[in-house]
């Protein structure tokens, strides 16, 4: 049935090409990295007297060093939108980080032992007050399941005592009203702010956020992309129309596009194109006459009798009544509502707010969610509104004039595409002033047993320049940091000024394996015989033929990866700092099973850990065998003629390709041709393409058969990670040209019981109100590791390497520690210590004849 649909879909495009025009909507770039779903976080072994809450220390007298300390750095491009409600890129977020402060954050306590501490900033206290405010559990739309609210004592209602000294850069106080009005603006249904999804969805969604955000609208939801209701699940109302369990009216999609079931076409498109050869047409005209303006027909007993024969009475279409559910669409209506009675984020007094979670959340995960805020300066926000379009927009946070800081720095100047400058925000609550008028700040917490100066930087200058220009400027002492390229990294490997650390991002090749799309790529997208990508053995052979240990030598210090999640993911950090997902028995077994590595008696490896550590991902012998089998199958299927040339374009990079990129692809060409030698395949050429605005979306739509990119983030809650590959409602799936996780089902054995759900539902099952959200860690690890292995076995994505951050810091300054920590990095700009002020640095550079040596 599905093969027939794909064939007809291709023919349908030809029949309708004069009438239809494709509309390509840009997709914001995901993890390369764009904003991660949650900030990293880890526990401290040495808890203070009350381990459940951060413990601020009184600020003492500390000797400080003042003067002019400029942090000169560079970027290949500047952000253009640092509005916390709509920002999209890392460059945007970087600007926002200088102008804002979180409620609470994590910082170093003991750098030698890697111990972190919670530090209050815009809040002075955050407590779980669920037990005292159980009435909020019924006042707001909280997901309790079958639980009695009277029995719920934690995990839903959190009280935030606000910092009474916090002010905007113009001196305006920041209080509870500031946060309430900002939340209303964030969730404004007339604006549909991009970052509102961090507030109305996910683990820390505010109760009622979705209802307020979507109010006054009707969401049309494909049944095959939602609950997959069957007729037995529906109930007929007094008007005869069937409704879902939630009471949503259900319709037949007659001339309504079905993204999941009909590849974005409508049933009417197919019936008009192919008529009685594939469809029962006797009742068709009666159905069409009943359509509303959306092409929908109410589902009643009468319309069931009209619709069912259309798709089930002709054998060529290949469907039965069991498939009718996929043509159903239900309308979810969101009534108009007011903020106060709907959204569970409210004012207690001038400096206290309460935040009611939609789903139960652990205290520490709640703190993690409060490491960012939604705060905006309402006078500028309102003044910048534009109501001329379909949605209301604002220019807040796009220029010096439309920005207002409440962090340690403020925006002083901006030359678009050239330079951005930040100076100290004198109204930041953390500053004091010395006798010479210099602003300084001291940590209100201990670092390595003492209070230290923080934010010693007085000015930040970011210039736009190329990597080559940045290198020259750095070596002349004009920049404080520079990231060496892959070729240059070995030169500085022994430098004490080199800071290197793994990131959470797993760099991968992801594919578009849909046969129709591959054929079109061969016809018009510059590929030759890329239809070979439709064969899973070809893709597996490709993976096994990659020598990842060699390949990473062409990168900027990346490390080989063999799974979707790397070594930086932890599942119980708060109670067990050693709880690495990748080191769990379940996760190690999954990768051993994937690569066929065994352990125990009669094998080279005594333990599971030994077997896992032996994995390199490289097996040329097996790759050659699989290539031979793949070629034979493709030839037998009439898709490929033995010996013919193969050329596959790779959507490689948003920017221009550099020499490192070219070297990486040269190695890939070597690997894949070595694997294909003697298989019957002709020469294979992989061609990297750069300057692509959205290679993720382009690959999914069939512009490229292969894309190169990454997913990462949410390091301390790996159980949500598979959503980025499976949850089509929350993410733009890179592999959408391969499969539909919203309809394909998966059966797993959980605690001895077989459970079947769609891949999408499995990806949601361990978060929020999911079926296994409250399960123990062993159960969750079993589910996650099983999903990871089974997904990787599809070879829709090949993990290649863990990305790293490698940069040289000028002799002018040092981070507080050379040892990277997931919670606080190297201590960041906050704890950076300067060895020279600006004048002293200029003198030192001159003494070195304007050329510094970091080798």
């Amino acid at each position: 049935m599905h093969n027939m649909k794909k064939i007809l879909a291709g023919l349908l495009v030809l029949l309708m090409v004069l009438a239809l025009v494709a509309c390509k909507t840009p997709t914001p770039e995901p993890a390369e990295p764009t904003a991660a779903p949650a900030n990293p976080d880890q526990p401290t072994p040495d808890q203070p007297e009350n381990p459940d809450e951060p413990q601020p220390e009184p600020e003492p007298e500390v000797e400080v060093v003042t003067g002019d300390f400029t942090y000169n750095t560079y970027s290949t491009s500047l952000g253009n939108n640092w509005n916390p409600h709509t920002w999209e890129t890392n460059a945007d977020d970087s600007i926002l980080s200088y102008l804002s402060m979180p409620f609470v954050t994590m910082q170093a306590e003991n750098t030698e032992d890697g111990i972190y501490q919670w530090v209050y900033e815009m809040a002075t206290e955050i407590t779980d007050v669920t037990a005292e405010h159980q009435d909020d559990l019924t006042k707001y739309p909280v997901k309790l399941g079958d639980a009695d609210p009277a029995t719920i004592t934690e995990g839903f209602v959190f009280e935030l005592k606000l910092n009474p000294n916090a002010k905007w850069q113009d001196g305006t106080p920041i209080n509870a009203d500031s946060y309430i009005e900002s939340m209303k603006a964030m969730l404004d249904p007339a604006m549909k702010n991009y970052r509102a999804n961090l507030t109305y969805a996910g683990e820390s969604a505010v109760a009622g956020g979705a209802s307020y955000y979507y109010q006054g609208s009707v969401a049309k939801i494909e049944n095959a992309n939602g609950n997959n209701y069957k007729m037995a699940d529906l109930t007929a109302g007094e008007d005869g129309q069937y409704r879902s369990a939630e009471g949503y009216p259900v319709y037949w999609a007659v001339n309504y596009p079905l993204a999941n079931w009909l590849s974005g076409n409508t049933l009417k498109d197919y019936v008009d194109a192919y008529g009685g050869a594939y469809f029962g047409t006797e009742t068709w005209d009666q159905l069409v006459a009943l359509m509303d303006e959306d092409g929908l027909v109410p589902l009643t007993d009468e319309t069931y009798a009209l619709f069912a024969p259309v798709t089930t009475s002709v054998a060529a279409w290949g469907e039965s009544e069991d498939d009718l559910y996929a043509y159903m669409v239900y309308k979810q209506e969101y009534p108009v509502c007011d903020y106060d009675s709907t959204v569970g984020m409210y004012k207690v007094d001038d400096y206290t707010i309460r935040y009611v979670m939609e789903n139960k959340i652990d205290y520490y995960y709640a703190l993690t969610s409060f490491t960012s805020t939604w705060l905006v300066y309402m006078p500028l926000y309102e003044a910048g509104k534009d109501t001329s379009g379909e949605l209301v927009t604002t220019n807040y946070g796009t220029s010096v004039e439309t920005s207002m800081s409440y962090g340690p720095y403020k925006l002083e100047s901006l030359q678009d595409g050239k330079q951005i400058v930040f100076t100290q925000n004198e109204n930041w609550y953390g500053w004091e002033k010395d006798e010479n008028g210099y602003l300084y700040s001291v940590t209100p917490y201990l670092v390595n047993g003492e209070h230290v100066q923080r934010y010693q930087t007085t000015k930040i200058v970011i210039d736009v320049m190329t990597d080559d220009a940045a290198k020259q400027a750095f070596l002349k002492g004009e920049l404080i940091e520079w990231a060496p390229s892959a070729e240059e990294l070995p030169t500085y490997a022994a430098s004490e000024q080199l800071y290197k650390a793994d990131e959470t991002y797993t760099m991968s090749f992801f594919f578009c394996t849909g046969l129709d799309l591959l054929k079109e790529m061969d016809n018009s997208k510059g590929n030759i015989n890329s239809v070979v990508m439709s064969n899973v053995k070809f893709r597996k052979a490709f993976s096994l033929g990659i020598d990842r240990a060699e390949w990473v030598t062409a990168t900027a210090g990346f490390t080989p990866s063999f799974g979707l999640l790397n070594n930086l993911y932890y599942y119980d950090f708060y109670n067990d700092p050693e709880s690495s997902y990748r080191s769990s028995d379940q996760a190690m077994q999954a990768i051993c099973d994937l690569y066929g590595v065994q352990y125990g008696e009669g094998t080279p490896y005594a333990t599971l850990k030994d077997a896992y550590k032996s994995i390199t991902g490289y097996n040329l012998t097996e790759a050659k065998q699989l290539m031979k089998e793949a070629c034979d199958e493709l030839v037998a299927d009439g898709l490929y003629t033995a010996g013919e040339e193969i050329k596959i374009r790779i959507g490689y990079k948003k920017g221009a390709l550099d020499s490192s990129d070219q070297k990486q692809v040269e190695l890939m060409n070597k690997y894949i041709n070595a694997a294909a030698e003697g298989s019957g395949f002709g020469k294979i050429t992989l061609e990297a393409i750069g300057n692509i605005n959205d290679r993720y979306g382009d690959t999914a739509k069939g512009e490229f058969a292969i894309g190169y990119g990454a997913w990462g983030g949410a390091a301390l809650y790996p159980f949500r990670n598979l959503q980025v590959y499976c949850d089509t409602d929350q993410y733009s799936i890179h592999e959408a040209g391969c499969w539909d996780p919203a309809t394909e089902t998966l059966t797993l054995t959980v605690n001895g019981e077989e459970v079947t759900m769609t891949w999408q539902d499995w990806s949601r099952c361990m978060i929020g109100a999911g079926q296994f959200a409250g399960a123990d860690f062993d159960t969750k690890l079993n589910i996650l590791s099983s999903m990871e292995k089974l997904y990787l076995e599809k070879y829709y994505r090949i993990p290649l390497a863990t990305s790293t951050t490698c940069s040289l810091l000028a002799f002018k300054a040092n981070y507080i520690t050379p040892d990277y920590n997931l919670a606080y990095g190297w201590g960041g700009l906050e704890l950076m210590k300067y060895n020279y002020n600006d004048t002293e640095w200029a003198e030192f550079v001159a003494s070195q004849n304007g050329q510094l040596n970091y080798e």
Side-chain angles (χ1 to χ4, degrees), residues 220-292:
K220 292 183 281 292
I221 302 171
E222 288 185 43
N223 193 33
N225 190 28
N227 292 308
N228 293 341
Y229 291 124
K230 302 298 178 65
M231 283 299 296
D233 302 317
L234 308 177
T235 304
E238 293 183 1
D239 59 356
Q241 184 172 5
Y242 280 87
R243 284 172 167 73
S244 69
E246 298 89 356
Y248 305 140
V250 184
Y251 299 79
W252 293 115
V254 176
N255 194 25
Y256 181 83
L258 295 175
N260 289 300
W261 199 247
L262 298 180
S263 301
N265 296 305
T266 75
L267 180 60
K268 189 174 185 297
D269 293 335
Y270 284 96
V271 176
D272 288 349
Y274 304 112
Y278 291 94
F279 301 99
T281 58
E282 291 185 4
T283 59
W284 179 247
D285 289 341
Q286 293 173 263
L287 267 176
V288 171
L290 297 173
M291 291 190 310
D292 63 15

Side-chain angles (χ1 to χ4, degrees), residues 412-432:
E412 180 180 87
S413 65
L414 172 63
Q415 299 178 59
D416 190 31
K418 293 183 179 180
Q419 185 188 77
I420 190 168
V421 178
F422 301 87
T423 55
Q424 291 172 306
N425 169 20
E426 60 273 12
N427 277 316
W428 180 56
Y429 56 82
W431 294 128
E432 293 189 44

Side-chain angles (χ1 to χ4, degrees), residues 462-706:
I462 305 174
D463 285 299
V464 175
M465 58 178 67
T466 65
D467 290 331
D468 287 341
K471 175 186 178 180
Q472 298 307 316
F474 177 77
L475 295 177
K476 291 178 182 179
E478 297 169 0
L479 294 179
I480 201 169
E481 63 177 347
W482 168 64
S485 67
E487 292 89 348
E488 294 162 323
L489 193 58
T491 303
Y492 303 99
S495 174
E496 292 185 357
Q497 293 302 109
L498 181 67
Y499 289 82
K500 176 180 177 181
D502 284 344
E503 299 177 307
T504 61
Y505 299 93
T506 298
M507 306 305 299
S508 306
F509 279 153
F510 52 93
F511 304 135
C512 177
T513 64
L515 186 56
D516 291 337
L517 293 171
L518 290 168
K519 287 179 177 178
E520 184 58 33
M521 283 183 248
D522 290 339
N523 289 332
S524 64
K525 308 293 184 183
N527 286 2
I528 302 173
N529 284 318
S530 64
V531 289
V532 298
M533 291 294 299
S534 66
N535 186 285
V536 66
K537 291 180 180 178
F538 180 91
R539 303 193 302 270
K540 182 176 181 180
F542 185 9
S543 178
L544 291 175
I546 298 172
D547 184 347
R548 290 164 173 80
E550 180 186 36
W551 186 78
V552 296
T553 63
T555 69
F558 292 4
T559 55
S561 282
F562 318 107
L564 297 176
L565 290 82
N566 63 29
N567 294 325
L568 292 180
Y569 284 85
Y570 294 82
Y571 60 88
D572 190 21
F573 235 1
Y574 303 120
N575 301 302
D576 179 7
E578 304 300 320
S579 61
S580 163
Y581 165 73
R582 199 73 274 160
S583 298
S584 69
D585 286 350
Q586 294 94 328
M588 288 193 295
Q589 187 67 60
I591 300 303
C592 285
D593 289 345
L594 179 70
Y595 288 97
V597 180
Q598 298 180 340
Y599 64 95
E601 188 175 352
T603 73
Y605 311 110
T607 67
L608 171 60
K609 188 174 184 179
D610 292 336
Y612 174 72
K613 285 188 172 182
S614 76
I615 293 172
T616 65
Y618 182 55
N619 187 334
L620 185 58
T621 301
E622 185 179 357
K624 283 178 171 291
Q625 178 61 35
L626 287 167
M627 279 290 188
K628 177 67 170 64
E629 295 174 12
C631 185
D632 291 345
E633 291 176 3
L634 287 160
V635 170
D637 290 340
L639 295 173
Y640 177 72
T641 300
E644 286 190 345
E645 175 189 2
I646 298 169
K647 178 182 176 183
I648 304 174
R649 298 163 73 248
I650 304 175
Y652 213 80
K653 195 174 183 180
K654 185 171 185 176
L657 299 178
D658 56 32
S659 58
S660 296
D661 302 321
Q662 299 290 5
K663 178 62 175 177
Q664 293 161 22
V665 178
E666 286 177 18
L667 288 172
M668 285 297 174
N669 273 293
K670 181 181 79 168
Y671 302 146
I672 197 168
N673 280 285
E677 184 180 5
S679 66
F681 287 120
K683 180 183 177 182
I684 302 174
T685 301
L686 304 175
E687 180 187 3
I689 307 298
N691 293 316
I692 306 168
N693 183 56
D694 177 23
R695 65 189 179 283
Y696 298 99
D698 285 351
T699 301
K701 290 182 288 189
E703 294 294 320
F704 299 97
I706 305 175

